[in-house]
Amino acid sequence: MEQEVIVVGGGPAGLTAALYASRSGLSATVYEKGYVGGLAATTDIIDNYPGFAEGVNGMELGEKMKQHAERFGAKIVASEVERVWRDGGPKVLVKGETIAAGAVIVATGWSPMRLGVPGEEEFTGKGVSYCATCDGPLYRGRTVAVIGGGDSALQEAIFLTKFAERVKLVHRRDEFRAAPFLRQAVRDNDRIELHLSKTVVAVKGGDMVEGLELESKKTGAREFVEAEGVFFYVGIIPNTGMLGPEFDKDEKGFIVTDDACRTSVEGVFAAGDVRSKTLRQVVTAAGDGACAAMSAYEYLETHG
Ligand code: NAP
């Protein structure tokens, strides 16, 4: 079975790639093992996607992108791609079956990083979470902690104040790397309590999380801080387990491409947050999707 374009991952990058490929007259199939919209779909309000002046719910945006791609004939399949490689031409492995493609676009995004402190794994699902949109409503009127100082941590800390009475934002430095708009919004929110220059030593509790043991980076003093929920936003790891060493990656494991989204393997392109790049936003993921699809089109015109 040969398909013209196989897109791995159904987030904003993958769905946009499928839209552009289908609209160019190619047959495009998106394989998504989870839910369409990718991690963006777990964001309550996306505030900076052009055209949505009031903001847009991540799941709703994902659904709209899916419908848009389907309107031009793209197919979305709920399956995991286990391997992508080249053998004569690009190939993918799905449920043990090898599928040949004219071109493959890898748009698999990232997963949240684990901090690796004692109690984190033990209490996952018992108060430890990596998704405020999914679990935030459980903490109405309660106290939660958010760990991290990037866009995700600050955005989700603000989101959690919709439910939680108190949000303790714990960051290992005095300064946040998050965007200025988010820093200001955190400063303006009196439900957010800052715990700066502190690291998490352990997550503590009985049957459920009861709090965190923190250590000051300035004095070394340790303290117990109460929280019934703990949300970790300490960074991201690229989802590249389906790619072998023939794919060039940067020091953090993100896929290296040229500016036309070509990977080091002929006929395989990469788009969105899984690419090695500086800005990871829904709009840049969508832009990458378009770029990868048009490069795949050009590739198929000359090699197809
Ligand atoms: P990130 O930008 O990599 O930030 C990770 C945060 O965790 C940093 O503040 C980092 O501290 C901290 N951290 C890392 N390792 C740690 C450790 N061992 N102990 C304690 N703290 C640790 O990750 P992210 O916030 O998840 O964002 C990922 C990407 O998605 C970024 O490109 C971001 O711009 C994008 N994003 C954008 C938006 C938006 O625009 N609204 C929303 C979400 C995500 P240091 O600062 O000290 O390194």
Side-chain angles (χ1 to χ4, degrees):
M1 180 170 43
E2 170 135 10
Q3 301 183 1
E4 274 174 321
V5 178
I6 288 181
V7 181
V8 190
L15 293 172
T16 308
L19 159 66
Y20 271 71
S22 317
R23 197 166 176 272
S24 304
L26 302 172
S27 71
T29 304
V30 179
Y31 288 91
E32 169 55 60
K33 68 172 178 174
Y35 40 86
V36 289
L39 275 182
T42 66
T43 305
D44 179 43
I45 295 289
I46 295 169
D47 221 9
N48 52 5
Y49 193 74
F52 294 88
E54 309 302 323
V56 57
N57 173 265
M59 202 175 278
E60 188 187 328
L61 184 63
E63 191 54 37
K64 280 185 194 294
M65 288 181 170
K66 172 179 176 265
Q67 287 166 7
H68 201 166
E70 285 176 334
R71 190 182 125 213
F72 290 104
K75 276 190 285 179
I76 320 283
V77 176
S79 287
E80 179 172 6
V81 169
E82 292 142 28
R83 202 180 145 209
V84 177
W85 76 105
R86 187 179 172 91
D87 177 14
K91 304 268 191 307
V92 303
L93 190 69
V94 179
K95 289 185 184 156
E97 184 194 353
T98 298
I99 304 172
V104 173
I105 297 172
V106 179
T108 44
W110 47 262
S111 298
M113 189 125 71
R114 283 11 181 190
L115 191 54
V117 291
E120 181 183 5
E121 198 182 329
E122 179 191 342
F123 289 111
T124 294
K126 297 177 183 168
V128 167
S129 172
Y130 301 85
C131 178
T133 311
C134 321
D135 298 328
L138 302 172
Y139 296 95
R140 204 172 287 278
R142 297 158 82 182
T143 296
V144 299
V146 173
I147 321 300
D151 285 333
S152 297
L154 272 65
Q155 180 172 296
E156 302 307 327
I158 295 161
F159 170 71
L160 283 163
T161 61
K162 283 187 177 187
F163 311 101
E165 187 60 37
R166 200 109 205 102
V167 176
K168 299 176 177 177
L169 180 57
V170 180
H171 179 39
R172 65 179 172 182
R173 291 188 294 135
D174 271 343
E175 286 170 7
F176 293 116
R177 69 170 61 226
F181 170 80
L182 290 169
R183 299 202 296 257
Q184 189 59 47
V186 159
R187 275 195 291 272
D188 292 346
N189 193 317
D190 55 18
R191 287 197 181 190
I192 299 179
E193 178 183 305
L194 299 182
H195 290 261
L196 300 179
S197 290
K198 290 178 188 173
T199 53
V200 177
V201 178
V203 181
K204 300 278 194 185
D207 290 340
M208 302 291 283
V209 166
E210 290 168 9
L212 293 170
E213 188 176 349
L214 301 182
E215 183 174 290
S216 163
K217 286 187 81 178
K218 291 189 172 155
T219 65
R222 290 196 174 187
E223 64 184 314
F224 176 76
V225 167
E226 279 180 25
E228 291 165 275
V230 181
F231 293 82
F232 284 96
Y233 290 102
V234 293
I236 60 178
I237 40 172
N239 296 326
T240 54
M242 75 298 296
L243 305 180
E246 68 276 25
F247 286 87
D248 281 351
K249 302 186 196 82
D250 68 15
E251 70 286 352
K252 290 184 174 161
F254 292 88
I255 305 168
V256 173
T257 68
D258 64 9
D259 61 6
C261 295
R262 297 184 197 100
T263 71
S264 52
V265 175
E266 198 185 315
V268 182
F269 304 82
D273 286 3
V274 74
R275 265 185 73 213
S276 179
K277 59 182 192 170
T278 51
L279 187 62
R280 294 192 169 86
Q281 300 281 302
V282 180
V283 70
T284 59
D288 274 3
C291 164
M294 296 326 289
S295 295
Y297 177 82
E298 199 179 284
Y299 172 77
L300 288 167
E301 284 283 285
T302 46
H303 296 81

